[in-house]
Amino acid sequence: MTYDFTTALNRSGQDALAVDGLGDGIGFAPAKPRKGFDSIPLWVADMSFATAPSVVEAMRARVEQPHFGYYEERDEYYQAIIDWHRTRKATNDLTREHIGYQNGVLGGVVSALGALCSPGDSVLVHSPTYVGFTMAVGGHGYKLVHSPLTLDESGIWRMDLEDMERRIVQNNIHAAIMCSPHNPCGRVWEPWELEEAMDLFQKHDVYVISDEIWSDLLLEGNVHTPTQQISEWAHEHTVALYAPSKTFNLAGLIGSYHVIYSRWLRDRVVREGALTHYNSQNVLSMHALIGAYSPEGAAWVDELCEVLSANARYAYEYIRSHYPGVQCAMPQGTYVLLADLNDWCDGRDREYDRVIRAAWDVGVTWHDGRLFNCPGSVRIAVSIPHAQVVEAFDRLDKYVFV
Ligand SMILES: Cc1ncc(COP(=O)(O)O)c(C=O)c1O
């Protein structure tokens, strides 16, 4: 490996929610560990790895120019995105006009919903559901309609097209959110699955918001297909959202962008964002993206995906072989695993809340599945050095699954 993915960054006291944000266990954050245990960050979807050196170099070069006044995005910013999508996502028709800054992918989701829906309208999402969708959609006065994903006989999460159609018709739905790859299920949708979903959406005039923030983090050689490449209709009726934040550990910098091909749709979404007067990029975030979406950044991501694949595989195999009754699918993308403890708890007369807390007590800060509309489950982010993944499962063995 050229890059260092084995040193655990010491993020304590250095603006890291994953480390400093542990609370009393109520609501969002896991509780602090009891005395004698350090915490292993498994809950917030960011990474314990240093970002790519090319990101830091690009930011450092800009910081050395000591003026930070008003500015416009540089040509290199757009070119970096166009090149990244061409080389990493086989997208050849992207031009500058299709790209627009979004203050966070969730900000982009909200702007898109503002363009497509009226308050009170229903929006189709899958469950398990990324908690950010729950908050952003519900918080803006839209109704979430959940279509459950189901595990097939090979242990792969699948969409249920019949269920989706029934809910679309019953609720007169005209906007759907696709999470591709899916957080927290880790699915990288295959082209035929996306085709079926897009055909359904086309049939019922459902516009699509495709959150592809995870699309660079692909495990074990899985390939991401951008929703907009699925069909001519999908190309023109999808608001796609991307960011370097998950990929390069840059969430604290804020900086995402949309790709929208239809001029009408783009104008509507851009207008929604502009009206807030909050939708402007930080200059350092722009330089970070330019450093990230570079050949050096690409080489770094390739290594990162190998490390994440090994971590996810270890966690998945460990759960399968050591904790009978715990249901878990091997993620194909992202760095999160969703483990369903319901059967394990039922079989031993153990309470889910107590099991969750037993892990938090010993610093295994997995995330409560209720946040993802998935009671009885936990989400485990393995974006940490491998030795810490091993340590987390050692502690689960000794103190939790006993
Ligand atoms: C699917 C998904 N979308 C969006 C976000 C958040 O993106 P942003 O911080 O750019 O709003 C996350 C973060 O975990 C995510 O998992």
Side-chain angles (χ1 to χ4, degrees), residues 6-334:
T6 50
T7 305
L9 278 186
N10 181 6
R11 295 191 286 166
S12 171
Q14 300 294 334
D15 316 308
L17 182 69
V19 179
D20 296 332
L22 297 175
D24 57 8
I26 315 268
F28 199 72
K32 292 194 174 87
R34 61 175 196 248
K35 239 178 157 183
F37 291 95
D38 61 344
S39 72
I40 302 175
L42 301 166
W43 60 296
V44 177
D46 64 13
M47 304 195 277
S48 298
F49 305 124
T51 188
S54 56
V55 172
V56 179
E57 280 155 26
M59 291 177 75
R60 188 175 288 134
R62 181 60 186 83
V63 167
E64 280 168 9
Q65 304 300 315
H67 57 92
F68 302 97
Y70 291 110
Y71 78 102
E72 285 184 333
E73 272 100 14
R74 303 171 163 232
D75 291 344
E76 292 101 302
Y77 169 75
Y78 292 101
Q79 197 55 51
I81 294 173
I82 291 166
D83 291 346
W84 189 259
H85 284 247
R86 193 186 65 253
T87 54
R88 313 280 302 181
K89 303 181 201 299
T91 300
N92 296 314
D93 61 352
L94 188 57
T95 65
R96 179 182 176 136
E97 66 173 337
H98 306 134
I99 302 165
Y101 175 73
Q102 289 293 345
N103 224 13
V105 161
L106 287 177
V109 168
V110 169
S111 290
L113 289 173
L116 297 170
C117 302
S118 302
D121 278 355
S122 295
V123 177
L124 189 77
V125 294
H126 291 120
S127 67
T129 317
Y130 164 52
V131 58
F133 296 153
T134 307
M135 295 195 296
V137 176
H140 280 80
Y142 309 110
K143 221 172 86 196
L144 288 131
V145 174
H146 299 96
S147 178
L149 301 175
T150 48
L151 277 174
D152 72 9
E153 54 290 345
S154 330
I156 296 180
W157 288 99
R158 300 282 183 198
M159 292 182 251
D160 179 342
L161 273 287
E162 274 175 32
D163 181 83
M164 286 162 64
E165 180 158 35
R166 194 166 44 76
R167 289 176 201 273
I168 287 168
V169 172
Q170 272 175 2
N171 296 282
N172 197 24
I173 285 178
H174 289 289
I177 300 179
M178 287 289 299
C179 194
S180 177
H182 189 275
N183 171 17
C185 293
R187 264 318 304 282
V188 174
W189 304 111
E190 292 175 49
W192 66 266
E193 295 175 289
L194 290 171
E195 264 162 44
E196 285 188 359
M198 291 304 122
D199 287 350
L200 176 67
F201 294 146
Q202 178 173 10
K203 179 174 165 197
H204 294 286
D205 291 320
V206 177
Y207 280 79
V208 181
I209 301 168
S210 186
D211 178 342
E212 302 184 27
I213 194 171
W214 289 98
S215 58
D216 297 313
L217 297 181
L218 302 168
L219 308 181
E220 300 188 337
N222 281 284
V223 177
H224 170 76
T225 305
T227 300
Q228 287 161 325
Q229 284 179 16
I230 287 299
S231 63
E232 264 179 51
W233 184 88
H235 192 263
E236 295 302 305
H237 295 79
T238 300
V239 173
L241 295 158
Y242 297 93
S245 54
K246 286 290 150 223
T247 319
F248 290 92
N249 207 15
L250 304 178
L253 281 178
I254 313 293
S256 312
Y257 57 94
H258 66 234
V259 170
I260 311 174
Y261 291 103
S262 148
R263 191 157 74 87
W264 174 83
L265 186 54
R266 192 167 63 236
D267 284 351
R268 302 311 328 135
V269 174
V270 168
R271 180 89 177 123
E272 286 290 321
L275 283 174
T276 66
H277 293 273
Y278 289 127
N279 202 22
S280 325
Q281 180 159 223
N282 180 305
V283 70
L284 289 181
S285 171
M286 174 178 74
H287 283 271
L289 180 142
I290 295 169
Y293 285 2
S294 63
E296 299 76 28
W300 184 88
V301 175
D302 288 343
E303 286 195 5
L304 171 69
C305 287
E306 280 181 42
V307 171
L308 296 177
S309 299
N311 283 358
R313 177 56 68 186
Y314 178 88
Y316 168 70
E317 298 294 354
Y318 203 94
I319 290 169
R320 261 174 43 120
S321 55
H322 288 75
Y323 312 136
V326 176
Q327 309 288 333
C328 182
M330 172 65 198
Q332 301 171 326
T334 79

